[in-house]
Amino acid sequence: MPETKTATVVGAGMVGLATAWHLQERGVEVTVLDRHGVASGASWGNAGWLTPGMAMPLADPSLWAYGPRALLDPSAALSVPFRFDRTLWAFLARLMAHATPGAWQRAMAALTPIDRIALDAYDELEAGGVHATSYPSRWVVGFERERESRPFVHELRGVARAGQEIRLSRVPDGVRVPHLSRAVQSIWTLEGQRYIDPGSYVQALATSVSARGAKVLSDARVESVRAVPGGAEVAVHGHDAVTSDAVVVATGAWLPELARQLGVRTRVQAGRGYSFSVPVDGPPIDHPVYFPARRVACTPYQGRLRIAGTMEFRGPDEPRRPARVRAIASSVRGLFEGVDLDSREDEWVGSRPVTPDGLPLVGRTAAPGVYVAGGHGMWGMVLGPATGRALADLITTGRTPEEIRPFDPLR
């Protein structure tokens, strides 16, 4: 194959910037384009969890019980608007079709190879000059009733059967965890995972990419991508077209706008998540906390606690809905002690790119020289660096690494 000397990456989130960084490692001159700027999509306000042990398909059999109830509960973590949207309802039908034990096991088997190298990929970035830190930590996982823990434990056992080491243990009854109230009756810990401050980490990655010679351009709204003789061309609104040997489209929840031009048929739906930060009395909470039954993730964040939740299937550019923030806060009220859920700051909404089968879209498109990297759902942060490394290998060698082979965008 012809040597790749130049590349354009569309999207300045974790996945796009990690791809740019690894292309630079292989001697490729890179330009990064983004419509708003670094970490302007799902990369800023997410929970920052680097949890390959929990990077599993969204569609699981519990959706058949939980989904219909959630549709009738405006405060539920799963939120779908009641309106005529043929594309959305078609996506939901495909998602539910994958909510079977067999489909979950097949998707988990496909995710396991990249899950197993996800943290090594972070080590490579940090050893290679990205001035940011991923923090090893235990996860505290809490339930109000013992029976609520069973689905979570069952899922993690499924992850272990697929080939990951899962270090999950039950905290003995009577042992209290600081800042958890007595309403949390069943407490577990999960070891071997990490967390980051996602916005700061992605900004540090962008700084590293720039320092190595890349152009990182904001306010660059891409209108089309197409193959041209000798490479690929990106049309940018209000700017000259950008031509390079290869183009990577890594636009997260906005992927469908360009992917349809490139022969990618798998639907990508925006699954919006919300977050905010709150103060903690006394010593700060120095480890993540997860309430699976409430679907709420909590992470140490700049001396406060970031609380994140919700899977809201709306358009990525729709306005933030304050009621979703209030619903998240209400769902964990009574589960904490010394956490002020009413002194909220940093309220945020970001759109995660969700596929019906739970697998990302990473690889070649129907347009020669054009690749996509997206569709990671809730796991773009943990799998972004490993995705970028594998895709850079594909672009520069022509060989598809095994860890992304199941993610063929043209499947």
Side-chain angles (χ1 to χ4, degrees), residues 222-227 233-235 249 254-265 365-367 370 372 410:
V222 172
E223 296 179 329
S224 65
V225 179
R226 65 188 184 101
E233 181 183 85
V234 178
V249 178
W254 293 267
L255 191 66
E257 297 177 8
L258 298 175
R260 284 191 292 268
Q261 307 171 16
L262 305 171
V264 178
R265 298 185 298 275
T365 71
V370 182
V372 298
L410 302 180

mmCIF file with all atom_site columns, all heavy atoms in Angstrom, residues 222-227 233-235 249 254-265 365-367 370 372 410:
data_model
loop_
_atom_site.group_PDB
_atom_site.id
_atom_site.type_symbol
_atom_site.label_atom_id
_atom_site.label_alt_id
_atom_site.label_comp_id
_atom_site.label_asym_id
_atom_site.label_entity_id
_atom_site.label_seq_id
_atom_site.pdbx_PDB_ins_code
_atom_site.Cartn_x
_atom_site.Cartn_y
_atom_site.Cartn_z
_atom_site.occupancy
_atom_site.B_iso_or_equiv
_atom_site.pdbx_formal_charge
_atom_site.auth_seq_id
_atom_site.auth_comp_id
_atom_site.auth_asym_id
_atom_site.auth_atom_id
_atom_site.pdbx_PDB_model_num
ATOM 1   N N   . VAL A 1 222 ? -16.936 20.406 9.446  1.00 0.00 ? 222 VAL A N   1
ATOM 2   C CA  . VAL A 1 222 ? -16.700 19.595 8.252  1.00 0.00 ? 222 VAL A CA  1
ATOM 3   C C   . VAL A 1 222 ? -18.031 19.290 7.579  1.00 0.00 ? 222 VAL A C   1
ATOM 4   O O   . VAL A 1 222 ? -18.974 18.820 8.213  1.00 0.00 ? 222 VAL A O   1
ATOM 5   C CB  . VAL A 1 222 ? -15.951 18.299 8.625  1.00 0.00 ? 222 VAL A CB  1
ATOM 6   C CG1 . VAL A 1 222 ? -15.866 17.362 7.430  1.00 0.00 ? 222 VAL A CG1 1
ATOM 7   C CG2 . VAL A 1 222 ? -14.553 18.633 9.135  1.00 0.00 ? 222 VAL A CG2 1
ATOM 8   N N   . GLU A 1 223 ? -18.092 19.547 6.280  1.00 0.00 ? 223 GLU A N   1
ATOM 9   C CA  . GLU A 1 223 ? -19.319 19.329 5.532  1.00 0.00 ? 223 GLU A CA  1
ATOM 10  C C   . GLU A 1 223 ? -19.324 18.008 4.783  1.00 0.00 ? 223 GLU A C   1
ATOM 11  O O   . GLU A 1 223 ? -20.380 17.402 4.583  1.00 0.00 ? 223 GLU A O   1
ATOM 12  C CB  . GLU A 1 223 ? -19.532 20.482 4.549  1.00 0.00 ? 223 GLU A CB  1
ATOM 13  C CG  . GLU A 1 223 ? -19.738 21.828 5.250  1.00 0.00 ? 223 GLU A CG  1
ATOM 14  C CD  . GLU A 1 223 ? -19.920 22.975 4.278  1.00 0.00 ? 223 GLU A CD  1
ATOM 15  O OE1 . GLU A 1 223 ? -19.330 22.913 3.169  1.00 0.00 ? 223 GLU A OE1 1
ATOM 16  O OE2 . GLU A 1 223 ? -20.653 23.919 4.605  1.00 0.00 ? 223 GLU A OE2 1
ATOM 17  N N   . SER A 1 224 ? -18.162 17.554 4.342  1.00 0.00 ? 224 SER A N   1
ATOM 18  C CA  . SER A 1 224 ? -18.110 16.286 3.610  1.00 0.00 ? 224 SER A CA  1
ATOM 19  C C   . SER A 1 224 ? -16.688 15.751 3.618  1.00 0.00 ? 224 SER A C   1
ATOM 20  O O   . SER A 1 224 ? -15.725 16.496 3.833  1.00 0.00 ? 224 SER A O   1
ATOM 21  C CB  . SER A 1 224 ? -18.583 16.467 2.161  1.00 0.00 ? 224 SER A CB  1
ATOM 22  O OG  . SER A 1 224 ? -17.696 17.318 1.443  1.00 0.00 ? 224 SER A OG  1
ATOM 23  N N   . VAL A 1 225 ? -16.594 14.462 3.401  1.00 0.00 ? 225 VAL A N   1
ATOM 24  C CA  . VAL A 1 225 ? -15.311 13.779 3.240  1.00 0.00 ? 225 VAL A CA  1
ATOM 25  C C   . VAL A 1 225 ? -15.433 12.876 2.025  1.00 0.00 ? 225 VAL A C   1
ATOM 26  O O   . VAL A 1 225 ? -16.418 12.142 1.896  1.00 0.00 ? 225 VAL A O   1
ATOM 27  C CB  . VAL A 1 225 ? -14.950 12.941 4.488  1.00 0.00 ? 225 VAL A CB  1
ATOM 28  C CG1 . VAL A 1 225 ? -13.623 12.228 4.289  1.00 0.00 ? 225 VAL A CG1 1
ATOM 29  C CG2 . VAL A 1 225 ? -14.902 13.815 5.732  1.00 0.00 ? 225 VAL A CG2 1
ATOM 30  N N   . ARG A 1 226 ? -14.426 12.907 1.154  1.00 0.00 ? 226 ARG A N   1
ATOM 31  C CA  . ARG A 1 226 ? -14.504 12.056 -0.028 1.00 0.00 ? 226 ARG A CA  1
ATOM 32  C C   . ARG A 1 226 ? -13.114 11.652 -0.467 1.00 0.00 ? 226 ARG A C   1
ATOM 33  O O   . ARG A 1 226 ? -12.118 12.334 -0.181 1.00 0.00 ? 226 ARG A O   1
ATOM 34  C CB  . ARG A 1 226 ? -15.214 12.776 -1.174 1.00 0.00 ? 226 ARG A CB  1
ATOM 35  C CG  . ARG A 1 226 ? -14.480 13.992 -1.718 1.00 0.00 ? 226 ARG A CG  1
ATOM 36  C CD  . ARG A 1 226 ? -15.329 14.763 -2.718 1.00 0.00 ? 226 ARG A CD  1
ATOM 37  N NE  . ARG A 1 226 ? -14.570 15.883 -3.307 1.00 0.00 ? 226 ARG A NE  1
ATOM 38  C CZ  . ARG A 1 226 ? -14.005 15.852 -4.521 1.00 0.00 ? 226 ARG A CZ  1
ATOM 39  N NH1 . ARG A 1 226 ? -14.126 14.763 -5.287 1.00 0.00 ? 226 ARG A NH1 1
ATOM 40  N NH2 . ARG A 1 226 ? -13.344 16.892 -4.988 1.00 0.00 ? 226 ARG A NH2 1
ATOM 41  N N   . ALA A 1 227 ? -13.073 10.510 -1.154 1.00 0.00 ? 227 ALA A N   1
ATOM 42  C CA  . ALA A 1 227 ? -11.816 10.058 -1.730 1.00 0.00 ? 227 ALA A CA  1
ATOM 43  C C   . ALA A 1 227 ? -11.505 10.868 -2.974 1.00 0.00 ? 227 ALA A C   1
ATOM 44  O O   . ALA A 1 227 ? -12.405 11.207 -3.755 1.00 0.00 ? 227 ALA A O   1
ATOM 45  C CB  . ALA A 1 227 ? -11.903 8.577  -2.073 1.00 0.00 ? 227 ALA A CB  1
ATOM 46  N N   . GLU A 1 233 ? -10.218 14.071 0.705  1.00 0.00 ? 233 GLU A N   1
ATOM 47  C CA  . GLU A 1 233 ? -10.430 15.510 0.836  1.00 0.00 ? 233 GLU A CA  1
ATOM 48  C C   . GLU A 1 233 ? -11.534 15.780 1.854  1.00 0.00 ? 233 GLU A C   1
ATOM 49  O O   . GLU A 1 233 ? -12.577 15.129 1.845  1.00 0.00 ? 233 GLU A O   1
ATOM 50  C CB  . GLU A 1 233 ? -10.808 16.108 -0.502 1.00 0.00 ? 233 GLU A CB  1
ATOM 51  C CG  . GLU A 1 233 ? -11.039 17.622 -0.470 1.00 0.00 ? 233 GLU A CG  1
ATOM 52  C CD  . GLU A 1 233 ? -11.483 18.147 -1.825 1.00 0.00 ? 233 GLU A CD  1
ATOM 53  O OE1 . GLU A 1 233 ? -12.709 18.095 -2.096 1.00 0.00 ? 233 GLU A OE1 1
ATOM 54  O OE2 . GLU A 1 233 ? -10.610 18.577 -2.607 1.00 0.00 ? 233 GLU A OE2 1
ATOM 55  N N   . VAL A 1 234 ? -11.276 16.767 2.710  1.00 0.00 ? 234 VAL A N   1
ATOM 56  C CA  . VAL A 1 234 ? -12.247 17.199 3.711  1.00 0.00 ? 234 VAL A CA  1
ATOM 57  C C   . VAL A 1 234 ? -12.707 18.600 3.350  1.00 0.00 ? 234 VAL A C   1
ATOM 58  O O   . VAL A 1 234 ? -11.887 19.524 3.252  1.00 0.00 ? 234 VAL A O   1
ATOM 59  C CB  . VAL A 1 234 ? -11.620 17.192 5.118  1.00 0.00 ? 234 VAL A CB  1
ATOM 60  C CG1 . VAL A 1 234 ? -12.631 17.689 6.149  1.00 0.00 ? 234 VAL A CG1 1
ATOM 61  C CG2 . VAL A 1 234 ? -11.115 15.809 5.481  1.00 0.00 ? 234 VAL A CG2 1
ATOM 62  N N   . ALA A 1 235 ? -14.014 18.765 3.142  1.00 0.00 ? 235 ALA A N   1
ATOM 63  C CA  . ALA A 1 235 ? -14.578 20.085 2.875  1.00 0.00 ? 235 ALA A CA  1
ATOM 64  C C   . ALA A 1 235 ? -14.990 20.712 4.204  1.00 0.00 ? 235 ALA A C   1
ATOM 65  O O   . ALA A 1 235 ? -15.768 20.119 4.960  1.00 0.00 ? 235 ALA A O   1
ATOM 66  C CB  . ALA A 1 235 ? -15.779 19.973 1.943  1.00 0.00 ? 235 ALA A CB  1
ATOM 67  N N   . VAL A 1 249 ? -12.512 9.929  10.644 1.00 0.00 ? 249 VAL A N   1
ATOM 68  C CA  . VAL A 1 249 ? -13.703 10.606 11.153 1.00 0.00 ? 249 VAL A CA  1
ATOM 69  C C   . VAL A 1 249 ? -13.975 10.060 12.553 1.00 0.00 ? 249 VAL A C   1
ATOM 70  O O   . VAL A 1 249 ? -14.313 8.886  12.727 1.00 0.00 ? 249 VAL A O   1
ATOM 71  C CB  . VAL A 1 249 ? -14.914 10.375 10.236 1.00 0.00 ? 249 VAL A CB  1
ATOM 72  C CG1 . VAL A 1 249 ? -16.153 11.055 10.817 1.00 0.00 ? 249 VAL A CG1 1
ATOM 73  C CG2 . VAL A 1 249 ? -14.619 10.904 8.834  1.00 0.00 ? 249 VAL A CG2 1
ATOM 74  N N   . TRP A 1 254 ? -21.932 12.742 16.563 1.00 0.00 ? 254 TRP A N   1
ATOM 75  C CA  . TRP A 1 254 ? -22.222 13.373 15.284 1.00 0.00 ? 254 TRP A CA  1
ATOM 76  C C   . TRP A 1 254 ? -21.704 12.530 14.104 1.00 0.00 ? 254 TRP A C   1
ATOM 77  O O   . TRP A 1 254 ? -21.750 12.968 12.968 1.00 0.00 ? 254 TRP A O   1
ATOM 78  C CB  . TRP A 1 254 ? -21.591 14.769 15.236 1.00 0.00 ? 254 TRP A CB  1
ATOM 79  C CG  . TRP A 1 254 ? -22.214 15.724 16.208 1.00 0.00 ? 254 TRP A CG  1
ATOM 80  C CD1 . TRP A 1 254 ? -23.247 16.585 15.974 1.00 0.00 ? 254 TRP A CD1 1
ATOM 81  C CD2 . TRP A 1 254 ? -21.856 15.897 17.582 1.00 0.00 ? 254 TRP A CD2 1
ATOM 82  N NE1 . TRP A 1 254 ? -23.547 17.284 17.113 1.00 0.00 ? 254 TRP A NE1 1
ATOM 83  C CE2 . TRP A 1 254 ? -22.714 16.888 18.118 1.00 0.00 ? 254 TRP A CE2 1
ATOM 84  C CE3 . TRP A 1 254 ? -20.894 15.324 18.407 1.00 0.00 ? 254 TRP A CE3 1
ATOM 85  C CZ2 . TRP A 1 254 ? -22.631 17.300 19.447 1.00 0.00 ? 254 TRP A CZ2 1
ATOM 86  C CZ3 . TRP A 1 254 ? -20.824 15.722 19.742 1.00 0.00 ? 254 TRP A CZ3 1
ATOM 87  C CH2 . TRP A 1 254 ? -21.683 16.707 20.241 1.00 0.00 ? 254 TRP A CH2 1
ATOM 88  N N   . LEU A 1 255 ? -21.249 11.331 14.389 1.00 0.00 ? 255 LEU A N   1
ATOM 89  C CA  . LEU A 1 255 ? -20.690 10.468 13.348 1.00 0.00 ? 255 LEU A CA  1
ATOM 90  C C   . LEU A 1 255 ? -21.643 10.230 12.170 1.00 0.00 ? 255 LEU A C   1
ATOM 91  O O   . LEU A 1 255 ? -21.203 10.219 11.017 1.00 0.00 ? 255 LEU A O   1
ATOM 92  C CB  . LEU A 1 255 ? -20.277 9.125  13.969 1.00 0.00 ? 255 LEU A CB  1
ATOM 93  C CG  . LEU A 1 255 ? -19.428 8.197  13.100 1.00 0.00 ? 255 LEU A CG  1
ATOM 94  C CD1 . LEU A 1 255 ? -18.058 8.807  12.827 1.00 0.00 ? 255 LEU A CD1 1
ATOM 95  C CD2 . LEU A 1 255 ? -19.274 6.837  13.780 1.00 0.00 ? 255 LEU A CD2 1
ATOM 96  N N   . PRO A 1 256 ? -22.957 10.060 12.393 1.00 0.00 ? 256 PRO A N   1
ATOM 97  C CA  . PRO A 1 256 ? -23.840 9.790  11.257 1.00 0.00 ? 256 PRO A CA  1
ATOM 98  C C   . PRO A 1 256 ? -23.822 10.861 10.178 1.00 0.00 ? 256 PRO A C   1
ATOM 99  O O   . PRO A 1 256 ? -24.076 10.561 9.005  1.00 0.00 ? 256 PRO A O   1
ATOM 100 C CB  . PRO A 1 256 ? -25.227 9.686  11.907 1.00 0.00 ? 256 PRO A CB  1
ATOM 101 C CG  . PRO A 1 256 ? -24.940 9.264  13.313 1.00 0.00 ? 256 PRO A CG  1
ATOM 102 C CD  . PRO A 1 256 ? -23.666 9.971  13.682 1.00 0.00 ? 256 PRO A CD  1
ATOM 103 N N   . GLU A 1 257 ? -23.532 12.119 10.548 1.00 0.00 ? 257 GLU A N   1
ATOM 104 C CA  . GLU A 1 257 ? -23.561 13.189 9.555  1.00 0.00 ? 257 GLU A CA  1
ATOM 105 C C   . GLU A 1 257 ? -22.578 12.937 8.418  1.00 0.00 ? 257 GLU A C   1
ATOM 106 O O   . GLU A 1 257 ? -22.822 13.329 7.280  1.00 0.00 ? 257 GLU A O   1
ATOM 107 C CB  . GLU A 1 257 ? -23.244 14.529 10.233 1.00 0.00 ? 257 GLU A CB  1
ATOM 108 C CG  . GLU A 1 257 ? -24.275 14.947 11.282 1.00 0.00 ? 257 GLU A CG  1
ATOM 109 C CD  . GLU A 1 257 ? -23.882 16.243 11.977 1.00 0.00 ? 257 GLU A CD  1
ATOM 110 O OE1 . GLU A 1 257 ? -22.907 16.884 11.535 1.00 0.00 ? 257 GLU A OE1 1
ATOM 111 O OE2 . GLU A 1 257 ? -24.544 16.595 12.974 1.00 0.00 ? 257 GLU A OE2 1
ATOM 112 N N   . LEU A 1 258 ? -21.440 12.319 8.731  1.00 0.00 ? 258 LEU A N   1
ATOM 113 C CA  . LEU A 1 258 ? -20.443 12.032 7.705  1.00 0.00 ? 258 LEU A CA  1
ATOM 114 C C   . LEU A 1 258 ? -20.408 10.554 7.330  1.00 0.00 ? 258 LEU A C   1
ATOM 115 O O   . LEU A 1 258 ? -20.096 10.213 6.188  1.00 0.00 ? 258 LEU A O   1
ATOM 116 C CB  . LEU A 1 258 ? -19.055 12.469 8.185  1.00 0.00 ? 258 LEU A CB  1
ATOM 117 C CG  . LEU A 1 258 ? -18.890 13.964 8.459  1.00 0.00 ? 258 LEU A CG  1
ATOM 118 C CD1 . LEU A 1 258 ? -17.513 14.248 9.047  1.00 0.00 ? 258 LEU A CD1 1
ATOM 119 C CD2 . LEU A 1 258 ? -19.082 14.783 7.179  1.00 0.00 ? 258 LEU A CD2 1
ATOM 120 N N   . ALA A 1 259 ? -20.725 9.680  8.286  1.00 0.00 ? 259 ALA A N   1
ATOM 121 C CA  . ALA A 1 259 ? -20.582 8.247  8.035  1.00 0.00 ? 259 ALA A CA  1
ATOM 122 C C   . ALA A 1 259 ? -21.503 7.761  6.937  1.00 0.00 ? 259 ALA A C   1
ATOM 123 O O   . ALA A 1 259 ? -21.146 6.840  6.173  1.00 0.00 ? 259 ALA A O   1
ATOM 124 C CB  . ALA A 1 259 ? -20.844 7.472  9.326  1.00 0.00 ? 259 ALA A CB  1
ATOM 125 N N   . ARG A 1 260 ? -22.685 8.361  6.824  1.00 0.00 ? 260 ARG A N   1
ATOM 126 C CA  . ARG A 1 260 ? -23.601 7.920  5.770  1.00 0.00 ? 260 ARG A CA  1
ATOM 127 C C   . ARG A 1 260 ? -23.012 8.140  4.385  1.00 0.00 ? 260 ARG A C   1
ATOM 128 O O   . ARG A 1 260 ? -23.318 7.408  3.442  1.00 0.00 ? 260 ARG A O   1
ATOM 129 C CB  . ARG A 1 260 ? -24.939 8.660  5.905  1.00 0.00 ? 260 ARG A CB  1
ATOM 130 C CG  . ARG A 1 260 ? -25.817 8.138  7.027  1.00 0.00 ? 260 ARG A CG  1
ATOM 131 C CD  . ARG A 1 260 ? -27.217 8.719  6.949  1.00 0.00 ? 260 ARG A CD  1
ATOM 132 N NE  . ARG A 1 260 ? -27.226 10.153 7.236  1.00 0.00 ? 260 ARG A NE  1
ATOM 133 C CZ  . ARG A 1 260 ? -27.426 10.668 8.438  1.00 0.00 ? 260 ARG A CZ  1
ATOM 134 N NH1 . ARG A 1 260 ? -27.638 9.878  9.472  1.00 0.00 ? 260 ARG A NH1 1
ATOM 135 N NH2 . ARG A 1 260 ? -27.444 11.975 8.631  1.00 0.00 ? 260 ARG A NH2 1
ATOM 136 N N   . GLN A 1 261 ? -22.167 9.177  4.240  1.00 0.00 ? 261 GLN A N   1
ATOM 137 C CA  . GLN A 1 261 ? -21.523 9.432  2.947  1.00 0.00 ? 261 GLN A CA  1
ATOM 138 C C   . GLN A 1 261 ? -20.480 8.371  2.615  1.00 0.00 ? 261 GLN A C   1
ATOM 139 O O   . GLN A 1 261 ? -20.038 8.268  1.472  1.00 0.00 ? 261 GLN A O   1
ATOM 140 C CB  . GLN A 1 261 ? -20.827 10.790 2.963  1.00 0.00 ? 261 GLN A CB  1
ATOM 141 C CG  . GLN A 1 261 ? -21.693 11.964 3.381  1.00 0.00 ? 261 GLN A CG  1
ATOM 142 C CD  . GLN A 1 261 ? -20.860 13.234 3.584  1.00 0.00 ? 261 GLN A CD  1
ATOM 143 O OE1 . GLN A 1 261 ? -19.718 13.325 3.145  1.00 0.00 ? 261 GLN A OE1 1
ATOM 144 N NE2 . GLN A 1 261 ? -21.430 14.222 4.264  1.00 0.00 ? 261 GLN A NE2 1
ATOM 145 N N   . LEU A 1 262 ? -20.083 7.597  3.640  1.00 0.00 ? 262 LEU A N   1
ATOM 146 C CA  . LEU A 1 262 ? -18.932 6.714  3.509  1.00 0.00 ? 262 LEU A CA  1
ATOM 147 C C   . LEU A 1 262 ? -19.311 5.242  3.517  1.00 0.00 ? 262 LEU A C   1
ATOM 148 O O   . LEU A 1 262 ? -18.443 4.379  3.626  1.00 0.00 ? 262 LEU A O   1
ATOM 149 C CB  . LEU A 1 262 ? -17.962 6.999  4.669  1.00 0.00 ? 262 LEU A CB  1
ATOM 150 C CG  . LEU A 1 262 ? -17.525 8.461  4.796  1.00 0.00 ? 262 LEU A CG  1
ATOM 151 C CD1 . LEU A 1 262 ? -16.746 8.678  6.092  1.00 0.00 ? 262 LEU A CD1 1
ATOM 152 C CD2 . LEU A 1 262 ? -16.662 8.868  3.590  1.00 0.00 ? 262 LEU A CD2 1
ATOM 153 N N   . GLY A 1 263 ? -20.607 4.952  3.402  1.00 0.00 ? 263 GLY A N   1
ATOM 154 C CA  . GLY A 1 263 ? -21.053 3.574  3.324  1.00 0.00 ? 263 GLY A CA  1
ATOM 155 C C   . GLY A 1 263 ? -21.238 2.893  4.661  1.00 0.00 ? 263 GLY A C   1
ATOM 156 O O   . GLY A 1 263 ? -21.418 1.670  4.721  1.00 0.00 ? 263 GLY A O   1
ATOM 157 N N   . VAL A 1 264 ? -21.205 3.649  5.771  1.00 0.00 ? 264 VAL A N   1
ATOM 158 C CA  . VAL A 1 264 ? -21.392 3.064  7.097  1.00 0.00 ? 264 VAL A CA  1
ATOM 159 C C   . VAL A 1 264 ? -22.895 2.992  7.377  1.00 0.00 ? 264 VAL A C   1
ATOM 160 O O   . VAL A 1 264 ? -23.563 4.017  7.482  1.00 0.00 ? 264 VAL A O   1
ATOM 161 C CB  . VAL A 1 264 ? -20.677 3.893  8.177  1.00 0.00 ? 264 VAL A CB  1
ATOM 162 C CG1 . VAL A 1 264 ? -20.924 3.294  9.557  1.00 0.00 ? 264 VAL A CG1 1
ATOM 163 C CG2 . VAL A 1 264 ? -19.188 3.968  7.878  1.00 0.00 ? 264 VAL A CG2 1
ATOM 164 N N   . ARG A 1 265 ? -23.408 1.787  7.514  1.00 0.00 ? 265 ARG A N   1
ATOM 165 C CA  . ARG A 1 265 ? -24.853 1.598  7.657  1.00 0.00 ? 265 ARG A CA  1
ATOM 166 C C   . ARG A 1 265 ? -25.309 1.447  9.107  1.00 0.00 ? 265 ARG A C   1
ATOM 167 O O   . ARG A 1 265 ? -26.476 1.669  9.412  1.00 0.00 ? 265 ARG A O   1
ATOM 168 C CB  . ARG A 1 265 ? -25.294 0.361  6.865  1.00 0.00 ? 265 ARG A CB  1
ATOM 169 C CG  . ARG A 1 265 ? -25.042 0.476  5.359  1.00 0.00 ? 265 ARG A CG  1
ATOM 170 C CD  . ARG A 1 265 ? -25.602 -0.727 4.625  1.00 0.00 ? 265 ARG A CD  1
ATOM 171 N NE  . ARG A 1 265 ? -24.954 -1.959 5.065  1.00 0.00 ? 265 ARG A NE  1
ATOM 172 C CZ  . ARG A 1 265 ? -23.818 -2.417 4.570  1.00 0.00 ? 265 ARG A CZ  1
ATOM 173 N NH1 . ARG A 1 265 ? -23.196 -1.737 3.622  1.00 0.00 ? 265 ARG A NH1 1
ATOM 174 N NH2 . ARG A 1 265 ? -23.307 -3.549 5.000  1.00 0.00 ? 265 ARG A NH2 1
ATOM 175 N N   . THR A 1 365 ? -13.702 2.625  5.663  1.00 0.00 ? 365 THR A N   1
ATOM 176 C CA  . THR A 1 365 ? -15.031 2.842  5.113  1.00 0.00 ? 365 THR A CA  1
ATOM 177 C C   . THR A 1 365 ? -15.025 2.440  3.641  1.00 0.00 ? 365 THR A C   1
ATOM 178 O O   . THR A 1 365 ? -14.027 1.950  3.116  1.00 0.00 ? 365 THR A O   1
ATOM 179 C CB  . THR A 1 365 ? -15.447 4.316  5.242  1.00 0.00 ? 365 THR A CB  1
ATOM 180 O OG1 . THR A 1 365 ? -14.660 5.105  4.328  1.00 0.00 ? 365 THR A OG1 1
ATOM 181 C CG2 . THR A 1 365 ? -15.254 4.829  6.665  1.00 0.00 ? 365 THR A CG2 1
ATOM 182 N N   . ALA A 1 366 ? -16.155 2.683  2.984  1.00 0.00 ? 366 ALA A N   1
ATOM 183 C CA  . ALA A 1 366 ? -16.243 2.376  1.552  1.00 0.00 ? 366 ALA A CA  1
ATOM 184 C C   . ALA A 1 366 ? -15.443 3.352  0.704  1.00 0.00 ? 366 ALA A C   1
ATOM 185 O O   . ALA A 1 366 ? -15.184 3.086  -0.474 1.00 0.00 ? 366 ALA A O   1
ATOM 186 C CB  . ALA A 1 366 ? -17.711 2.391  1.120  1.00 0.00 ? 366 ALA A CB  1
ATOM 187 N N   . ALA A 1 367 ? -15.031 4.483  1.258  1.00 0.00 ? 367 ALA A N   1
ATOM 188 C CA  . ALA A 1 367 ? -14.235 5.466  0.526  1.00 0.00 ? 367 ALA A CA  1
ATOM 189 C C   . ALA A 1 367 ? -12.756 5.183  0.762  1.00 0.00 ? 367 ALA A C   1
ATOM 190 O O   . ALA A 1 367 ? -12.299 5.218  1.914  1.00 0.00 ? 367 ALA A O   1
ATOM 191 C CB  . ALA A 1 367 ? -14.583 6.879  0.986  1.00 0.00 ? 367 ALA A CB  1
ATOM 192 N N   . VAL A 1 370 ? -10.294 6.643  3.733  1.00 0.00 ? 370 VAL A N   1
ATOM 193 C CA  . VAL A 1 370 ? -11.115 7.256  4.775  1.00 0.00 ? 370 VAL A CA  1
ATOM 194 C C   . VAL A 1 370 ? -11.492 6.192  5.807  1.00 0.00 ? 370 VAL A C   1
ATOM 195 O O   . VAL A 1 370 ? -11.953 5.103  5.455  1.00 0.00 ? 370 VAL A O   1
ATOM 196 C CB  . VAL A 1 370 ? -12.376 7.910  4.197  1.00 0.00 ? 370 VAL A CB  1
ATOM 197 C CG1 . VAL A 1 370 ? -13.185 8.587  5.309  1.00 0.00 ? 370 VAL A CG1 1
ATOM 198 C CG2 . VAL A 1 370 ? -12.012 8.928  3.119  1.00 0.00 ? 370 VAL A CG2 1
ATOM 199 N N   . VAL A 1 372 ? -13.181 5.458  9.999  1.00 0.00 ? 372 VAL A N   1
ATOM 200 C CA  . VAL A 1 372 ? -13.973 6.011  11.092 1.00 0.00 ? 372 VAL A CA  1
ATOM 201 C C   . VAL A 1 372 ? -13.516 5.384  12.402 1.00 0.00 ? 372 VAL A C   1
ATOM 202 O O   . VAL A 1 372 ? -12.984 4.265  12.430 1.00 0.00 ? 372 VAL A O   1
ATOM 203 C CB  . VAL A 1 372 ? -15.496 5.797  10.906 1.00 0.00 ? 372 VAL A CB  1
ATOM 204 C CG1 . VAL A 1 372 ? -15.993 6.493  9.662  1.00 0.00 ? 372 VAL A CG1 1
ATOM 205 C CG2 . VAL A 1 372 ? -15.845 4.325  10.896 1.00 0.00 ? 372 VAL A CG2 1
ATOM 206 N N   . LEU A 1 410 ? -18.234 -1.412 8.207  1.00 0.00 ? 410 LEU A N   1
ATOM 207 C CA  . LEU A 1 410 ? -19.095 -1.802 7.088  1.00 0.00 ? 410 LEU A CA  1
ATOM 208 C C   . LEU A 1 410 ? -19.861 -3.102 7.386  1.00 0.00 ? 410 LEU A C   1
ATOM 209 O O   . LEU A 1 410 ? -20.459 -3.673 6.479  1.00 0.00 ? 410 LEU A O   1
ATOM 210 C CB  . LEU A 1 410 ? -18.264 -1.960 5.813  1.00 0.00 ? 410 LEU A CB  1
ATOM 211 C CG  . LEU A 1 410 ? -17.481 -0.709 5.395  1.00 0.00 ? 410 LEU A CG  1
ATOM 212 C CD1 . LEU A 1 410 ? -16.697 -0.966 4.114  1.00 0.00 ? 410 LEU A CD1 1
ATOM 213 C CD2 . LEU A 1 410 ? -18.415 0.496  5.227  1.00 0.00 ? 410 LEU A CD2 1
#
